[in-house]
Amino acid sequence: MKPEEIYETLSEQFGDAVLGFDAELAGDPSIRIAAASIADVCAYLAETETLAFDSLMSLSGVDLGARDEEFTVVYHLYSMQHRHKVVIKAAVPKAEPHLPSVEHLWKTANWHERETYDLYGISFEGHSDLRRILLPDDWVGYPLRKDYKEPEFYRGMRVPY
């Protein structure tokens, strides 16, 4: 199934929760989903036989900078059975970034969501073990945010190199 067909299927099933289809951006076409509906849409994509997205290839955060009031979470999904793929995106406000977890659908989301939490501060509600994965537990801030200021020292060690 092509991304345009998946978009049509999701639009029929979820209506206004499907916010748009972007084919003009660099890379793969993507489908924008309302943040509150992302877990339901992902469950539909994983559990519907004609779609059967059984692999979460990647989940990552994006910060476009100061002009944007939101972070975007990007999900790259693949179906081994049907050999098709899709990219879906959900935007969350920078002031309070949180989404429902999809760990219950794809176990690999455990690590991807933890990494996105660690580097962007986006919380995933319902995650089984949401804690830092790359940085120490006492690290202050989220290094991939555009407004992040690198500390000069951490535990007495100079940080910048």
Side-chain angles (χ1 to χ4, degrees), residues 69-71 92-98 121 145:
E69 299 289 323
E70 300 175 320
F71 295 122
V92 295
K94 286 183 177 179
E96 194 176 323
H98 59 88
R145 288 185 177 189

Side-chain angles (χ1 to χ4, degrees), residues 3 7 19-32 87 89:
Y7 168 71
L19 304 175
F21 182 75
D22 298 319
E24 301 299 318
L25 300 173
D28 294 324
S30 62
I31 302 168
R32 289 180 290 115
V87 177
K89 298 179 179 181

Side-chain angles (χ1 to χ4, degrees), residues 73-149:
V73 177
V74 182
Y75 303 75
H76 288 84
L77 307 175
Y78 185 74
S79 170
M80 303 279 189
Q81 178 182 349
H82 300 298
R83 298 194 191 288
H84 57 214
K85 62 183 177 177
V86 70
V87 177
I88 60 173
K89 298 179 179 181
V92 295
K94 286 183 177 179
E96 194 176 323
H98 59 88
L99 282 171
S101 176
V102 295
E103 178 189 17
H104 64 286
L105 300 169
W106 302 290
K107 291 300 178 194
T108 190
N110 180 294
W111 286 68
H112 290 289
E113 289 175 353
R114 283 181 62 192
E115 182 179 46
T116 303
Y117 165 73
D118 195 8
L119 299 175
Y120 289 95
I122 300 170
S123 294
F124 293 90
E125 298 165 355
H127 190 282
S128 66
D129 187 21
L130 193 61
R131 60 188 165 98
R132 291 199 181 265
I133 193 168
L134 299 171
L135 296 166
D137 291 336
D138 61 346
W139 191 266
V140 176
Y142 305 101
L144 291 186
R145 288 185 177 189
K146 298 290 185 185
D147 62 355
Y148 178 72
K149 302 290 187 233

Side-chain angles (χ1 to χ4, degrees), residues 11-81:
S11 293
E12 290 171 14
Q13 183 70 27
F14 293 97
D16 292 343
V18 180
L19 304 175
F21 182 75
D22 298 319
E24 301 299 318
L25 300 173
D28 294 324
S30 62
I31 302 168
R32 289 180 290 115
I33 306 295
S37 299
I38 196 71
D40 293 335
V41 170
C42 284
Y44 182 81
L45 289 167
E47 296 166 358
T48 302
E49 183 59 34
T50 56
L51 298 169
F53 284 99
D54 53 2
S55 177
L56 173 66
M57 297 187 303
S58 174
L59 181 157
S60 57
V62 178
D63 181 0
L64 296 175
R67 291 179 287 161
D68 196 357
E69 299 289 323
E70 300 175 320
F71 295 122
T72 302
V73 177
V74 182
Y75 303 75
H76 288 84
L77 307 175
Y78 185 74
S79 170
M80 303 279 189
Q81 178 182 349

